[in-house]
Amino acid sequence: MTTGLLGGTFDPPQNGHVALGRAALEELPIDRLVVLVAAAPGHRAAVAPAEARLRLALAAFDFADEVVLDDHAFTVDAVEGGRLGEAIFVVGADEGAAFPSWKEPDEVLRWVRLAVGTRSGYPPPNLERYGDRVLSFHLESPPVSSSEIRARIARGEPIDELVPPAVAAAIRELGLYRGYTDHEPERT
């Protein structure tokens, strides 16, 4: 059995993340999808607390087989030793392009394959040096970012078209991102 792993900060999860997860289930040779919410990501600081982001991810990925909080700061630590079994780590094209700068990318690929979802009009990143350890697949995904959503919430603007309805409701209920002021681009 092959598991698709969709990892991220999900701060908040948005329609692009959901499209990536759904496309992975449809397009990749995986039997199940597990969403890993990074509790304390090593590549950027999270805005919302880990438990709140887990709740948002549970709402966004209601079609996933499992949504769990991941205590590993980096992907290499999460997959090390093959602890997740036969797995494919799923990323979007932006993260795929950044993959060579990840912590120990060769070690990541020792334990899992990487699947990069690409959108129409965006060329897939050049990851040929990793050979057959990298797959690519196509997805229909809206151009949206979590930082844009946080900024909209802080300005009091609607986000309903950018996130699943259950995520928008949970953000309102929890009062998340209202005081968000960090408008720096997200780092990978």
Side-chain angles (χ1 to χ4, degrees):
M1 179 180 342
T2 302
T3 300
L5 303 169
L6 178 58
T9 308
F10 303 116
D11 199 16
Q14 32 89 349
N15 289 339
H17 296 137
V18 172
L20 183 61
R22 288 191 186 282
L25 280 170
E26 293 172 12
E27 303 292 329
L28 296 175
I30 59 175
D31 302 297
R32 59 193 302 264
L33 180 67
V34 175
V35 176
L36 303 172
V37 179
H43 61 295
R44 77 170 133 249
V47 176
E51 290 297 327
R53 291 182 290 107
L54 175 62
R55 181 172 167 192
L56 297 178
L58 285 164
F61 300 104
D62 58 352
F63 56 91
D65 295 282
E66 204 175 343
V67 178
V68 297
L69 204 54
D70 180 16
D71 290 325
H72 299 95
F74 295 96
T75 301
V76 68
D77 302 320
V79 302
E80 185 176 55
R83 74 178 102 227
L84 299 172
E86 177 68 27
I88 299 174
F89 200 87
V90 180
V91 298
D94 54 342
E95 284 294 316
F99 181 72
S101 70
W102 285 18
K103 180 183 176 189
E104 300 178 45
D106 291 312
E107 189 67 9
V108 170
L109 294 179
R110 178 178 174 196
W111 303 109
V112 298
R113 287 182 289 161
L114 184 73
V116 181
T118 58
R119 296 189 308 230
S120 295
Y122 294 88
N126 184 352
L127 299 173
E128 289 177 12
R129 68 176 160 227
Y130 299 110
D132 64 358
R133 299 299 292 168
V134 177
L135 318 165
S136 65
F137 65 102
H138 179 76
L139 72 139
E140 296 297 325
S141 177
V144 59
S145 73
S146 295
S147 58
E148 173 191 350
I149 292 167
R150 293 190 302 265
R152 280 183 163 207
I153 293 167
R155 293 190 303 262
E157 297 174 1
I159 60 164
D160 295 330
E161 74 280 5
L162 304 176
V163 299
V167 171
I171 288 171
R172 283 191 294 275
E173 180 184 326
L174 296 171
L176 298 173
Y177 310 114
R178 286 191 221 153
Y180 176 71
T181 58
D182 182 5
H183 299 296
E184 291 181 26
E186 293 184 4
R187 300 181 312 276
T188 56

